[in-house]
Amino acid sequence: MELSFYILSGGKSSRMGEDKGLVEVNGEKMVKQVLEKLKSIGPQIKIITSNKAYKNHGFPLLPDVVPNKGPMGGLLTALKDSPTSNAFIIGCDMPLIPKEAYLHLIRSHQEDRITVASIGGIPNPLFSIYPKSLESNVASHVAGEKLKMIDFIRDNKHEVIPMENSLDFDESLFKNFNTREDLES
Ligand SMILES: Nc1nc2c(ncn2[C@@H]2O[C@H](COP(=O)(O)OP(=O)(O)OP(=O)(O)O)[C@@H](O)[C@H]2O)c(=O)[nH]1
């Protein structure tokens, strides 16, 4: 299955106070850590942001087609752009997720549905694979201001893959870093 990868980095980062993807965790920018894993998985990688500071990572940047709609706007941008029939959507603030987790989700994916990773019983729409065929459904949600990713997933054919059941992962590897306190913990 051919896949394109999109890192969502277009958020307001209001809790962090500065653009999250460019903040360092364990001495390296979060976006860089995500890119390092993706590079070894597939060639089609883009960062969805309008912040030019992401440019020096060497991957194409893509601004949101409809700005200020949160991750749903990022998903719409990704599916519109995707040259492949499926797109892997990843938040920029989960830098510790191991490559094996990406591979596991890809192996679990079936082309006609959304494949959502769950961690500790909680589905994560920003570590998920979406069929490009859902683009018009996403566009309707965005136009109707129905911006909760989880509601979109529930409205469409999907499968939840509990990461901890299949792989011997520590849940802490799926931590996302939203605040300064998160960085210190
Ligand atoms: N492209 C794009 N990505 C977004 C948008 N809003 C949020 N994201 C990304 O979605 C992921 C989760 O974002 P959140 O933590 O919910 O929101 P945030 O705006 O980044 O941060 P807060 O303002 O602190 O809530 C992060 O990777 C964000 O960069 C958006 O409007 N466009």
Side-chain angles (χ1 to χ4, degrees):
M1 174 194 38
E2 257 204 295
L3 259 186
S4 305
F5 295 86
Y6 293 90
I7 305 178
L8 263 53
S9 300
K12 294 195 167 47
S13 298
S14 52
R15 286 167 288 173
M16 188 66 81
E18 61 184 297
D19 197 320
K20 268 193 287 194
L22 301 172
V23 166
E24 290 189 356
V25 167
N26 300 333
E28 189 142 59
K29 291 188 172 69
M30 291 200 243
V31 70
K32 175 96 188 296
Q33 298 186 46
V34 176
L35 284 168
E36 282 306 318
K37 278 146 216 167
L38 295 184
K39 274 194 318 204
S40 62
I41 302 175
Q44 312 206 69
I45 305 166
K46 288 187 183 174
I47 306 173
I48 306 186
T49 179
S50 52
N51 182 356
K52 301 274 187 297
Y54 280 91
K55 225 172 183 167
N56 60 4
H57 291 98
F59 289 89
L61 309 186
L62 197 61
D64 278 328
V65 286
V66 187
N68 302 318
K69 299 295 180 192
M72 274 300 281
L75 174 61
L76 177 60
T77 307
L79 293 186
K80 236 184 204 331
D81 181 76
S82 180
T84 57
S85 52
N86 295 275
F88 201 135
I89 305 296
I90 307 124
C92 67
D93 55 3
M94 296 178 294
L96 309 179
I97 299 178
K99 180 180 168 183
E100 290 68 30
Y102 287 85
L103 296 176
H104 181 61
L105 202 69
I106 293 168
R107 277 195 301 269
S108 306
H109 183 60
Q110 297 181 50
E111 301 253 355
D112 63 339
R113 64 193 68 173
I114 305 169
T115 302
V116 190
S118 80
I119 298 97
I122 300 171
N124 190 336
L126 297 184
F127 193 74
S128 295
I129 302 172
Y130 298 79
K132 183 178 169 75
S133 58
L134 292 179
E135 182 190 327
S136 60
N137 294 16
V138 180
S140 312
H141 272 244
V142 170
E145 295 287 335
K146 289 158 70 183
L147 301 178
K148 286 209 171 115
M149 302 279 283
I150 200 70
D151 291 346
F152 176 78
I153 288 170
R154 288 200 186 106
D155 282 356
N156 289 279
K157 197 168 176 191
H158 66 275
E159 185 172 11
V160 177
I161 306 293
M163 286 288 141
E164 62 276 16
N165 287 4
S166 336
L167 298 162
D168 190 21
F169 287 149
D170 188 326
E171 277 181 33
S172 67
L173 295 176
F174 288 85
K175 178 178 173 53
N176 66 342
F177 294 83
N178 287 310
T179 64
R180 292 264 138 216
E181 291 73 56
D182 288 340
L183 297 176
E184 281 147 27
S185 66

